[in-house]
Amino acid sequence: MRVPLSWLREYAPVPEDATAEDVLATLVKVGLEEEDVHRPSDSLSGPIVVGQVLSMEPETHSNGKTVNWCSVRVVPEGHEQTLTGKGIDPSGVQGIICGAHNFSVGDKVVVALPGAVLPGDFRISARKTYGHISAGMIASVRELGIGDDHDGILVLSRIGLDPEIGSDALELLGLYDSAAEVNVTPDRGYAFSIRGIAREYCHAVRAPFTDPVAELAPRVPASTEDGFPVTVSDDAPIHGRAGCNRFAVRIVENVDPSIPSPQWLVSRLRLAGIRSLSLPVDISNYVMLEYGQPIHNYDADTLQGGITVRRARAGEKLTTLDDKSRELNTEDLVIADESGPVGLAGVMGGAATEVGENTTRVLVEAARFDEVSIARTARRHKLPSEASKRYERGVDPQLAPVAAQRVVDLLVELAGGTDSGRVTDVDHTDRPAAIELPAGYPAARVGVDYSPEVVERSLVAIGAEVTETADGWTVVPPSWRPDLLEKEDLVEEVARLDGYDKIPDRLPVAPPGRGFTRSQAARRRVANTLAAAGLTEVLSYPFVSQADNDLWGSADGEHVASIKLANPISEAQSLLRVSILPGLLGVLKRNHSRGLRDLALYEMGHVFLADGYTPDTQPIPPLGVRPAAPELERLDAAVPDQPRRLAAVLTGHDAAAGPWVTPRTLDWQDALDVAVLAARSVGVELRVTQGSHHAFHPGRTAQLSTQDGAVIGMAGELHPKLVAAQGLPERTCAVELDLSALLDREASAVTAQVISGYPAATQDVALVVDASVPAADLLTTVRRGAGELLEAAEVFDVYAGKGIPEGKKSVAIALRFRAADRTLTADEASQARENAVDAAHREHGAEIRS
């Protein structure tokens, strides 16, 4: 919302020397965000004055162009030229070349004299052109930066001005004024007006506010029997809320369409970001900015019969003011006469009833439409407007007849119109609901000891009706504050108006038993562990193609049922992922293409499984009301299964090259280490066996299982053909774990192992087993058979070849034994080793390698 300072001063005590920056700094105190400053004089500087054309001689030159050699008086006749500078004629008459032809001798125009600067840092000086010394410029509105019209010179009489020659044109056109732009949040629609901003400014400086609407309201007449016929009907309300609950109509006759908009009005509209169109339209826009009530004017002679406010019917079309034919939706709220729709309610009027250059009877409409209805229509037709921005945020339901009266007054005053006396006001509004505010509640919620006087004063200042009760207050919010629904909202207003700076900044003490849940703490532990190991966490998009889901969602590449987005950003990625790896590999590929060669990335997130998922086709519950328990159960049942996954991708080297450092290429073992590290961070040991997945290298793939046999993931090197097809770096490795399943198996309590002070006894054993026996199974058996003296057992070599029978392999295992209370003897260690070998022989037919 752009707020011209000259306009704001009419309703708020803004000092004359206050700048737009000062106003923004003041408004910040009451919670309004500053956006920008608009100051035309920043790009304009004089001397820019009013001049009168004394003569103009057309000259046609060799390039075929005809220009006018003009004499322009810039000082009243008989007065001395007080301006000095190179190119400024002391006589007060300037010789100027002008290529435009839309002005005549005697016209008063805007003249930029030598030394002036126009927008775009265009500096004016006396220079020779077309055989003359042209000392200045006769300016158009575009050259002055006040409009887009570049067809010709700005002739001041055509905009209703007859100023004195030599007067300051910047002051005449309102270009010394400035505007403070405020960002209006969705819950404070009343601030989309000069009235609302003035009220907030008065709050900030602790000054009384005189509401212009309250002053005008007593003059608003009641509906008359001959009022223009209006019917408000809504047979399909959205969420049970009628599309319109207030509709006021006035008729002004004998409007003179030839009268231009006064310059003060044009200047304020321009500074507020709205261009001037015609006097009736400018007046409606002016009142919209002033009060926050959108106004629409119709050419009353083009309407057929009365007005009906209703939902559009199937197949209806409307040509809007932008000359576009729009096919209406049955959810659109329209203004219709007997011929059909003549306007999109609250968004844009229709071309057929537009106020034009021949309009003499104006029908003024001021209404209050439902926020959701208008927001949906504006977005459906991609048609945002100044009106819809206000309706979406909520317009004061009591404002419509007052704003209509203001428009009538201005049409009578400025356009020569006559008030017909016909008044229509369809009022279906309700009084705001009262809110009970306990006496100590504001202090308890904010932490500031507000006195009863401060609470009551703050609520009265925002326009609420406050009645003291035995326990506190009964508060009826003002009609322009639909966001005040609960006592917490009132507390926020007290804190805002009394000053946010008074709220202490001490941190509250967390109550016992709060903090991370067990699952949250475990996820944080996994993330911290991987980050400490050198991996970088990233976040990828969860939207993928069917090919991605088929590739990663099944071990053999079969079709995977997927959940389709109703409104995808791209049809190429229109499904929800069943694996994190597609997006994660996309991140790796993008970073690798930008020169990052050593990458270790991980992501934790949800996947979306279609098994057992049935889309819910029932209507969405209405907003603003908590759904009943059966509806919540229905909605919960309609949500697909969304387990958490952990995935990581690796490529390049484990370290940067440097003196005495030889980087090692990351391989499948590193991917496996990521999985083992993540599992151990939550107290879970993984069982690693040979795996198979069509996207992974057939000989470098590990299947990851928990000790109870549940398969929870894969790790290894990606298949070379896949790497080549997708343009990934060579030897890219990946891992993906079912994080939900992993966390479900988190140890309820982790018992720290006692560190023995006695020395360890180490022995190695090489066992020959069938080649089909997984080394992990053999290692598990050895650990179990060795007994409680075994501290650690690790496979350090697997060999098949010379000296080993066909179909067999040798698995070498390092064993470390230790007792907590004594030094082991060689016999004790050897016996434990023999026990382990016996167990391996019984279960796997293992023999000691000779």
Side-chain angles (χ1 to χ4, degrees), residues 437 454-464 466 475 490 493-494:
L437 180 64
V454 169
V455 173
E456 189 167 339
R457 182 180 68 238
S458 300
L459 297 177
V460 170
I462 65 173
V466 183
V475 182
L490 300 179
E493 293 301 297
V494 173

Side-chain angles (χ1 to χ4, degrees), residues 13-238:
V14 180
E16 287 297 325
D17 60 348
T19 65
E21 289 84 353
D22 296 332
V23 170
L24 289 172
T26 301
L27 293 174
V28 164
K29 297 178 183 178
V30 287
L32 291 175
E33 297 180 15
E34 58 181 271
E35 190 74 20
D36 203 353
V37 169
H38 302 271
R39 189 180 291 112
S41 58
D42 285 348
S43 58
L44 282 168
S45 62
I48 302 175
V49 300
V50 174
Q52 186 173 36
V53 180
L54 302 181
S55 67
M56 51 189 300
E57 301 174 10
E59 297 179 353
T60 302
H61 292 267
S62 58
N63 61 2
K65 185 175 182 179
T66 299
V67 299
N68 294 304
W69 168 240
C70 305
S71 294
V72 185
R73 178 173 293 281
V74 294
V75 175
E77 190 171 2
H79 290 67
E80 293 185 2
Q81 172 62 276
T82 58
L83 298 173
T84 59
K86 185 177 181 181
I88 297 180
D89 197 308
S91 69
V93 178
Q94 299 288 122
I96 300 175
I97 289 289
C98 183
H101 305 281
N102 69 318
F103 62 102
S104 305
V105 172
D107 284 342
K108 290 183 178 179
V109 294
V110 175
V111 180
L113 296 174
V117 180
L118 299 182
D121 198 29
F122 184 60
R123 299 178 180 274
I124 305 301
S125 61
R127 57 195 180 100
K128 187 172 183 179
T129 180
Y130 291 108
H132 300 277
I133 299 296
S134 180
M137 172 187 282
I138 305 175
S140 69
V141 294
R142 180 183 291 182
E143 289 162 341
L144 292 170
I146 60 175
D148 296 327
D149 185 9
H150 196 54
D151 294 335
I153 296 305
L154 172 59
V155 178
L156 296 175
S157 62
R158 295 174 190 163
I159 60 173
L161 297 177
D162 185 20
E164 183 181 78
I165 298 172
S167 57
D168 188 342
L170 297 184
E171 182 176 359
L172 175 72
L173 299 174
L175 297 176
Y176 288 129
D177 198 0
S178 59
E181 185 172 357
V182 178
N183 180 26
V184 178
T185 53
D187 61 331
R188 300 175 72 178
Y190 69 95
F192 246 127
S193 66
I194 302 298
R195 174 200 183 201
I197 297 296
R199 184 188 298 276
E200 292 302 317
Y201 188 91
C202 290
H203 292 336
V205 298
R206 302 286 200 278
F209 172 66
T210 302
D211 191 349
V213 172
E215 291 185 332
L216 180 57
R219 292 203 302 107
V220 178
S223 294
T224 59
E225 291 185 2
D226 63 345
F228 193 85
V230 173
T231 302
V232 176
S233 173
D234 190 353
D235 54 2
I238 299 176

Side-chain angles (χ1 to χ4, degrees), residues 503-817:
I503 300 175
D505 57 0
R506 61 180 181 271
L507 291 174
V509 177
R514 301 294 178 88
F516 288 135
T517 65
R518 184 179 182 86
S519 176
Q520 289 171 335
R523 295 201 304 271
R524 179 64 62 89
R525 201 155 54 245
V526 172
N528 289 342
T529 299
L530 296 184
L535 282 81
T536 301
E537 185 174 14
V538 298
L539 184 65
S540 64
Y541 286 111
F543 311 129
V544 298
S545 65
Q546 184 64 58
D548 286 332
N549 277 349
D550 292 344
L551 176 63
W552 299 103
S554 66
D556 52 8
E558 292 184 355
H559 176 73
V560 174
S562 304
I563 299 171
K564 184 174 176 58
L565 295 168
N567 186 24
I569 298 174
S570 167
E571 285 299 328
Q573 287 87 34
S574 60
L575 303 178
L576 290 172
R577 67 188 179 189
V578 298
S579 167
I580 294 179
L581 284 175
L584 194 54
L585 286 169
V587 174
L588 178 137
K589 182 178 177 180
R590 185 162 54 252
N591 281 274
H592 191 270
S593 69
R594 285 159 174 74
L596 300 177
R597 295 293 182 259
D598 301 329
L599 295 167
L601 312 175
Y602 79 96
E603 178 180 358
M604 294 191 296
H606 291 283
V607 295
F608 308 86
L609 306 182
D611 294 341
Y613 168 67
T614 303
D616 186 6
T617 58
Q618 297 188 41
I620 297 174
L623 300 177
V625 179
R626 178 179 174 81
E631 284 186 301
L632 290 174
E633 292 176 4
R634 172 178 64 83
L635 293 172
D636 186 61
V639 175
D641 187 21
Q642 301 176 38
R644 293 182 185 273
R645 295 279 177 85
L646 165 66
V649 290
L650 307 95
T651 188
H653 299 86
D654 65 341
W660 305 291
V661 175
T662 303
R664 180 182 60 81
T665 301
L666 296 171
D667 59 19
W668 65 270
Q669 183 66 53
D670 294 283
L672 181 59
D673 287 346
V674 169
V676 172
L677 193 62
R680 286 179 177 172
S681 70
V682 291
V684 177
E685 286 294 330
L686 293 181
R687 184 168 178 267
V688 181
T689 57
Q690 180 68 44
S692 174
H693 192 288
H694 70 113
F696 283 82
H697 192 294
R700 300 169 187 167
T701 304
Q703 177 177 279
L704 308 174
S705 309
T706 57
Q707 295 302 315
D708 58 7
V711 177
I712 64 168
M714 303 289 292
E717 182 181 323
L718 297 185
H719 200 292
K721 290 184 178 179
L722 175 66
V723 168
Q726 296 199 358
L728 295 168
E730 291 184 6
R731 308 297 292 272
T732 297
C733 300
V735 57
E736 184 165 24
L737 290 174
D738 186 337
L739 187 60
S740 294
L742 187 66
L743 298 183
D744 288 342
R745 290 163 174 79
E746 180 193 10
S748 58
V750 178
T751 303
Q753 292 184 347
V754 177
I755 300 176
S756 173
Y758 295 94
T762 59
Q763 295 194 22
D764 295 342
V765 62
L767 300 175
V768 177
V769 295
D770 290 341
S772 60
V773 175
D777 289 353
L778 180 63
L779 183 62
T780 299
T781 301
V782 167
R783 286 172 174 167
R784 185 171 59 250
E788 61 181 14
L789 294 179
L790 180 68
E791 184 177 74
E794 301 293 339
V795 174
F796 66 88
D797 183 51
V798 177
Y799 172 74
K802 186 177 180 180
I804 303 298
E806 185 74 21
K808 300 284 187 177
K809 64 182 177 183
S810 171
V811 180
I813 302 175
L815 304 172
R816 185 170 70 245
F817 302 98

Side-chain angles (χ1 to χ4, degrees), residues 190 195 199 396-398 432-433 459-465 475-484 490:
Y190 69 95
R195 174 200 183 201
R199 184 188 298 276
D396 182 358
Q398 305 304 319
L459 297 177
V460 170
I462 65 173
E465 296 178 18
V475 182
V476 179
S479 57
W480 57 85
R481 293 297 302 272
D483 58 309
L484 302 181
L490 300 179

